[in-house]
């Protein structure tokens, strides 16, 4: 069974600060996705990283896939209250996404004005 | 706009009752999934389906069954609800070219 460990589980910071969320595994994933979930809603895809060492930017969010494709990070610059939510990483294994993704337990992020 | 729709946002049932959770997607996706989401445990896969009338067990299938009679509809069934099945249930379908999961808004089930 492939496991994804996310850290921290909870993070509460002030508006304007920077933060990094980590997603680690001992297993290799063919790709890794980051989702954001707001209260009362289902998760929504933010980004997919596929290549080891890949870096993708989405406005103030920077996503990185580890060289060995076992870990990933999400860095938010100058966090805003609108960034508040549950951030989930999800890995696609060798069987492809057709049999479901492996999800981390999530990071609850609160950005205080 | 792509959409996954879950029939009930909130349900309250009693122990032993049969529960149906329905999910419909309008994207013609082959694969559909049912997850449950619990604090501290994250999303766990219950069942998935890769075609009409086909189903596969996920990580925690015990106490659940599913039905996929039509491509667009995937139902989760709790034959005899128990209190430990109180949870948020999320349905999803996958766009196979990108691997992106599209989720419904979730069904929060409380079993008393």
């Amino acid at each position: 069974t492939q496991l994804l460990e996310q850290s921290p589980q909870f993070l509460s910071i002030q508006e304007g600060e920077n933060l990094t969320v980590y997603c680690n595994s001992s297993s290799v994933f063919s790709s890794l996705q980051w989702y954001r979930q707001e209260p009362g809603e289902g998760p929504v895809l933010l980004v997919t990283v596929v290549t080891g060492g890949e870096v993708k930017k989405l406005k103030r969010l920077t996503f990185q896939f580890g060289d060995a494709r076992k870990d990933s990070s999400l860095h938010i610059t100058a966090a805003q209250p609108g960034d508040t939510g549950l951030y989930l990483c999800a890995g696609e294994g060798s069987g492809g996404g057709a049999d479901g993704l492996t999800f981390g337990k999530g990071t609850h992020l609160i950005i205080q004005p | 706009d792509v959409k996954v729709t879950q029939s009930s946002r909130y349900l309250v049932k009693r122990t032993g009752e049969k529960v149906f959770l329905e999910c419909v997607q309008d994207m013609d996706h082959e694969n559909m999934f049912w997850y449950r989401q619990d604090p501290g445990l994250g999303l766990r896969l219950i069942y998935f389906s890769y075609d009409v009338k086909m189903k596969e067990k996920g990580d925690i299938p015990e106490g659940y069954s599913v039905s996929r009679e039509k491509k667009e509809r995937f139902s989760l069934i709790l034959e005899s609800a128990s209190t430990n099945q109180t949870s948020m249930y999320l349905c999803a379908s996958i766009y196979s070219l990108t691997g992106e999961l599209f989720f419904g808004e979730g069904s929060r089930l409380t079993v008393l």
Side-chain angles (χ1 to χ4, degrees), chain A residues 31-37 42-49 56 58 61 63 86-90 101 103, chain B residues 94-95 98-103:
Chain A
S31 70
L32 202 134
Q33 302 177 6
W34 285 92
Y35 290 80
R36 187 172 87 185
Q37 184 178 17
V44 176
L45 181 68
L46 295 173
V47 78
T48 301
V49 285
K56 280 191 174 178
L58 192 66
L61 279 61
F63 304 85
L86 175 66
Y87 289 81
L88 297 160
C89 65
L101 302 175
F103 279 86
Chain B
I94 195 166
Y95 181 44
T98 63
E100 178 179 357
L101 280 173
F102 291 87
F103 285 90

Side-chain angles (χ1 to χ4, degrees), chain B residues 86-104:
Chain B
T86 291
S87 186
M88 169 69 89
Y89 290 88
L90 288 163
C91 173
S93 67
I94 195 166
Y95 181 44
S96 55
L97 286 180
T98 63
E100 178 179 357
L101 280 173
F102 291 87
F103 285 90

Side-chain angles (χ1 to χ4, degrees), chain B residues 6-89:
Chain B
Q6 294 183 227
S7 56
S8 305
R9 293 294 301 273
Y10 301 95
L11 302 95
V12 179
K13 297 291 182 180
R14 297 205 174 274
T15 301
E17 282 192 271
K18 191 169 187 176
V19 182
F20 289 92
L21 299 178
E22 297 208 310
C23 174
V24 177
Q25 51 99 0
D26 63 1
M27 296 165 280
D28 202 37
H29 290 164
E30 304 286 341
N31 298 68
M32 296 185 72
F33 307 85
W34 276 104
Y35 289 89
R36 64 178 283 177
Q37 185 176 30
D38 301 285
L41 296 176
L43 272 78
R44 294 179 291 166
L45 182 63
I46 304 171
Y47 266 97
F48 66 97
S49 169
Y50 53 89
D51 202 351
V52 174
K53 296 192 186 295
M54 306 304 288
K55 61 184 179 184
E56 292 287 342
K57 294 180 180 179
D59 298 319
I60 51 162
E62 296 79 19
Y64 303 95
S65 62
V66 291
S67 173
R68 185 110 180 257
E69 295 297 319
K70 294 185 177 182
K71 188 176 185 180
E72 67 270 19
R73 189 179 299 269
F74 191 34
S75 302
L76 180 69
I77 303 153
L78 288 67
E79 292 289 342
S80 178
S82 62
T83 54
N84 63 12
Q85 292 179 310
T86 291
S87 186
M88 169 69 89
Y89 290 88

Side-chain angles (χ1 to χ4, degrees), chain A residues 11 13-17 19 36-39 60 76-87 109-113:
Chain A
L11 186 59
I13 62 171
Q14 296 293 321
E15 181 177 1
E17 293 184 25
L19 66 109
R36 187 172 87 185
Q37 184 178 17
E38 300 190 19
R60 293 174 293 99
I76 301 179
T77 304
Q80 303 293 312
D83 296 326
T84 293
L86 175 66
Y87 289 81
L109 177 62
I110 297 173
I111 310 299
Q112 301 185 31

